[in-house]
Amino acid sequence: MRLENRIALITGAGRGIGRAIAEQYGREGARVAVADLTLESAQEAVEAIQQAGGTAMALAMDVTNEKAVEEGVKAIVDEWGRLDIAIANAGIQHIDPVHNLAYADWCKVLDVHLNGAFLVTRAALNEMYKTGSGCMLYMGSVHSMTASPLKSPYVTAKHGLLGLCRAVAKEGAEHGVSSNIICPGFVRTPLVEKQIPEQAKELGISEEEVIRDVMLKHTVDGKFTTLEDVAEVAVHLAAFPSAALTGQSIVVSHGWHMQ
């Protein structure tokens, strides 16, 4: 098992990409702290990991709440002694053109993605630096590299995560900490499913056209990225044996974006 006895925190892991990574980490031997906005959601993922023979704990964590993040990381260290891997995955979406975008909606998206990632990073690094090793991972997007209409706060936040990842790679090197960002294309999570009718309404096209002509238009094969695709990359990055792989953006998008 590639992550045997590693201690991992994954935020936004009650469903979607975060949950898929959490379950895969459990299968690979990691002890997984599943953090989500509600304890019930986190506990559902924990039960799935445990039923598959893994070890996990549930945390209620609002990543925009400084105290909640600090207490969550402390609970992991109190239970398992250290923190080896942290994945800043929690995220939300909002669909609106810039000229109609409410400031509150702009702030909310940036708060969850970017400020939340900062709080998780700071708390995790303070533990990783104590042990002289660690792996920070960020859930970016192809929108860390490019832009799409109607998603300005999301695009801005994902670009910001790329910068944070690179800064952490520079600072963390002397403490044995690597930092990388995973940039998926469209994955059919609840977050994406919600966007399909929203974009259809805003653009005046059918949901089928949103999928074919907006979401998957620039892929090489017209296919969605899968949860399994992203989880496999997250395992590979966490298991990579040296600092040769740090400060990198790994795009998983069926060729939508090539770098």
Side-chain angles (χ1 to χ4, degrees), residues 33-72:
V34 176
D36 208 80
L37 197 57
T38 68
L39 190 62
E40 293 76 14
S41 180
Q43 189 59 46
E44 288 178 9
V46 165
E47 290 171 2
I49 293 168
Q50 292 173 336
Q51 288 170 7
T55 302
M57 64 185 293
L59 297 171
M61 184 185 291
D62 176 352
V63 296
T64 68
N65 184 308
E66 185 175 7
K67 182 178 179 182
V69 173
E70 296 287 343
E71 289 181 347

Side-chain angles (χ1 to χ4, degrees), residues 51-94:
Q51 288 170 7
T55 302
M57 64 185 293
L59 297 171
M61 184 185 291
D62 176 352
V63 296
T64 68
N65 184 308
E66 185 175 7
K67 182 178 179 182
V69 173
E70 296 287 343
E71 289 181 347
V73 170
K74 182 178 184 301
I76 296 167
V77 175
D78 287 347
E79 180 70 20
W80 290 327
R82 66 182 193 279
L83 180 61
D84 301 314
I85 305 161
I87 305 180
N89 169 75
I92 59 173
Q93 179 62 281
H94 185 84

Side-chain angles (χ1 to χ4, degrees), residues 142-159:
V142 167
H143 287 110
S144 297
M145 315 288 177
T146 187
S148 292
L150 310 179
K151 300 178 180 179
S152 59
Y154 183 86
V155 170
T156 301
K158 292 302 189 184
H159 273 67

Side-chain angles (χ1 to χ4, degrees), residues 59-250:
L59 297 171
M61 184 185 291
D62 176 352
V63 296
T64 68
N65 184 308
E66 185 175 7
K67 182 178 179 182
V69 173
E70 296 287 343
E71 289 181 347
V73 170
K74 182 178 184 301
I76 296 167
V77 175
D78 287 347
E79 180 70 20
W80 290 327
R82 66 182 193 279
L83 180 61
D84 301 314
I85 305 161
I87 305 180
N89 169 75
I92 59 173
Q93 179 62 281
H94 185 84
I95 301 297
D96 254 329
V98 175
H99 70 283
N100 285 337
L101 183 64
Y103 181 56
D105 291 326
W106 166 272
C107 290
K108 185 176 181 180
V109 174
L110 265 67
D111 201 21
V112 173
H113 284 275
L114 205 48
N115 296 339
F118 161 71
L119 291 175
V120 170
T121 299
R122 186 181 64 180
L125 291 182
N126 276 312
E127 295 301 328
M128 292 174 181
Y129 285 4
K130 293 175 185 177
T131 60
S133 65
C135 171
M136 279 300 315
L137 294 177
Y138 300 90
M139 192 52 60
S141 165
V142 167
H143 287 110
S144 297
M145 315 288 177
T146 187
S148 292
L150 310 179
K151 300 178 180 179
S152 59
Y154 183 86
V155 170
T156 301
K158 292 302 189 184
H159 273 67
L161 283 178
L162 181 60
L164 177 59
C165 167
R166 290 170 172 169
V168 172
K170 293 282 189 179
E171 293 184 12
E174 66 179 290
H175 303 281
V177 175
S178 65
S179 172
N180 292 290
I181 183 168
I182 303 168
C183 298
F186 283 103
V187 182
R188 294 201 77 158
T189 62
L191 191 72
V192 168
E193 293 290 353
K194 181 175 180 290
Q195 290 177 50
I196 295 171
E198 290 176 342
Q199 291 200 55
K201 180 180 179 181
E202 188 68 38
L203 296 171
I205 59 178
S206 70
E207 293 185 16
E208 291 75 17
E209 288 172 313
V210 169
I211 293 170
R212 185 188 68 234
D213 300 332
V214 177
M215 292 184 168
L216 303 181
K217 179 179 180 180
H218 297 295
T219 63
V220 297
D221 54 9
K223 293 183 179 180
F224 282 97
T225 303
T226 68
L227 294 170
E228 293 77 15
D229 294 331
V230 182
E232 175 58 31
V233 172
V235 171
H236 176 73
L237 290 173
F240 198 81
S242 77
L245 187 55
T246 193
Q248 302 304 310
S249 53
I250 310 300

